[in-house]
Amino acid sequence: MKIVVIGGTGLIGTRLVRQLVARGHQAVAASPNTGVNTLTGEGLADALAGAQVVVDVANSPSFEDRAVLDFFETSGRNLLAAEAAAGVKHLVALSVVGTERLQGSGYFRAKLAQEKLIQAGAIPYTIVRATQFIDFLGGIAQSATEGQTVRLSPALVQPIASDDVASAMADAALGAPLQGMREIAGPERIGLAALVQRYLSAIGDPRTVVADAKALYFGVPLDDRSLTPDDDAQLGTIGFEAWLAAR
Ligand SMILES: NC(=O)c1ccc[n+]([C@@H]2O[C@H](COP(=O)([O-])OP(=O)(O)OC[C@H]3O[C@@H](n4cnc5c(N)ncnc54)[C@H](OP(=O)(O)O)[C@@H]3O)[C@@H](O)[C@H]2O)c1
């Protein structure tokens, strides 16, 4: 089966393409680096020709409020139109657990807009919402750094390894459209500040994490429910220590 992976050159996309090929499918990585741009539409019709499934794991190059909203809205519309023209039977998209609880952030407003376009569109779909990628802990630390201090909320998180995300996306792509959402998460719950401190210590980064219940996460205050999934989330198998050991 031909499966087009939009954002197939990214963190999740690279792993997803590899997994789909290993499972015997023709997986095509589509992104600006391979001549496909969902914002402008460049290369999209050619890439989607003959595809039965499209998986969208692209991300906006800019997280600035207006830019990220434009990215997910414009790309989402272009993609739905190209999928309809190509006769695509299933669209699988990657979003974030708790998106509707994080609407103080421009990034999460853009993710909600992306989800709504897909839900209102004509292509049968599955939305997979993942928790924070363990691979993204460095990015979270960076976003919360002031000098040598990283100020983060102690709220609970349940981070997932990118290989587990890719497996779940491959499963979704090879399954029937849910016309709904599925949540995926890692196997362990831990406070965000404590986890990032463990990560920084493990890689020999001298920054110190200060746990501050008022610290904002990409502009949003957190509590223990903000980033954690529902009880029926599908769990990955790779915890933080295993991820670190494999790194
Ligand atoms: N970070 C987290 O903790 C987290 C948690 C849950 C869900 N998510 C979601 O996971 C998804 C993937 O994240 P990621 O970290 O794998 O992303 P990433 O590594 O930053 O990769 C982004 C991908 O998007 C592609 N892209 C950028 N502009 C494009 C355009 N105009 N047209 C087509 N493709 C374009 C890039 O292509 P080039 O390589 O060619 O530039 C790249 O392949 C995102 O939707 C994000 O919301 C993230």
Side-chain angles (χ1 to χ4, degrees):
M1 175 159 74
K2 178 175 172 183
I3 303 169
V4 175
V5 179
I6 305 292
T9 54
L11 174 73
I12 302 302
T14 310
R15 290 163 173 76
L16 175 59
V17 167
R18 214 183 291 140
Q19 289 205 23
L20 289 169
V21 169
R23 295 192 203 186
H25 296 280
Q26 182 197 352
V28 178
S31 80
N33 269 317
T34 67
V36 181
N37 190 325
T38 51
L39 262 181
T40 62
E42 180 198 349
L44 207 45
D46 283 349
L48 263 53
Q52 280 154 286
V53 178
V54 170
V55 188
D56 184 2
V57 291
N59 207 358
S60 173
S62 164
F63 284 16
E64 187 273 320
D65 283 5
R66 185 181 288 267
V68 71
L69 185 63
D70 182 51
F71 178 86
F72 282 113
E73 285 192 333
T74 306
S75 292
R77 283 198 194 95
N78 287 342
L79 209 45
L80 284 168
E83 286 157 354
V88 168
K89 302 281 184 285
H90 187 186
L91 164 61
V92 182
L94 182 55
S95 190
V96 189
V97 164
T99 288
E100 76 284 358
R101 300 189 285 272
L102 302 163
Q103 290 297 295
S105 149
Y107 185 81
F108 292 102
R109 288 196 292 277
K111 290 302 287 184
L112 195 63
Q114 177 193 23
E115 291 181 350
K116 287 191 167 158
L117 274 173
I118 293 167
Q119 288 164 327
I123 310 297
Y125 72 90
T126 301
I127 295 173
V128 178
R129 279 183 166 186
T131 54
Q132 287 57 56
F133 306 157
I134 302 179
D135 315 60
F136 187 51
L137 291 178
I140 293 175
Q142 204 50 44
S143 74
T145 294
E146 301 153 11
Q148 282 302 297
T149 301
V150 181
R151 192 169 293 280
L152 282 169
S153 166
L156 289 176
V157 291
Q158 198 169 331
I160 183 167
S162 51
D163 285 323
D164 278 339
V165 177
S167 297
M169 295 305 285
D171 291 344
L174 301 177
L178 284 183
Q179 287 302 108
M181 282 186 201
R182 168 183 298 162
E183 287 190 332
I184 60 170
E188 302 157 345
R189 273 190 190 187
I190 179 173
L192 178 62
L195 177 63
V196 171
Q197 182 64 77
R198 263 166 78 184
Y199 168 74
L200 293 177
S201 301
I203 64 166
D205 188 310
R207 285 175 290 175
T208 305
V209 178
V210 173
D212 176 353
K214 292 204 169 70
L216 302 181
Y217 178 80
F218 295 98
V220 196
L222 297 180
D223 60 33
D224 284 346
R225 184 63 182 113
S226 305
L227 300 177
T228 44
D230 292 341
D231 290 340
D232 61 356
Q234 185 184 309
L235 301 189
T237 58
I238 306 167
F240 176 70
E241 292 301 334
W243 175 86
L244 203 56
R247 192 171 167 269

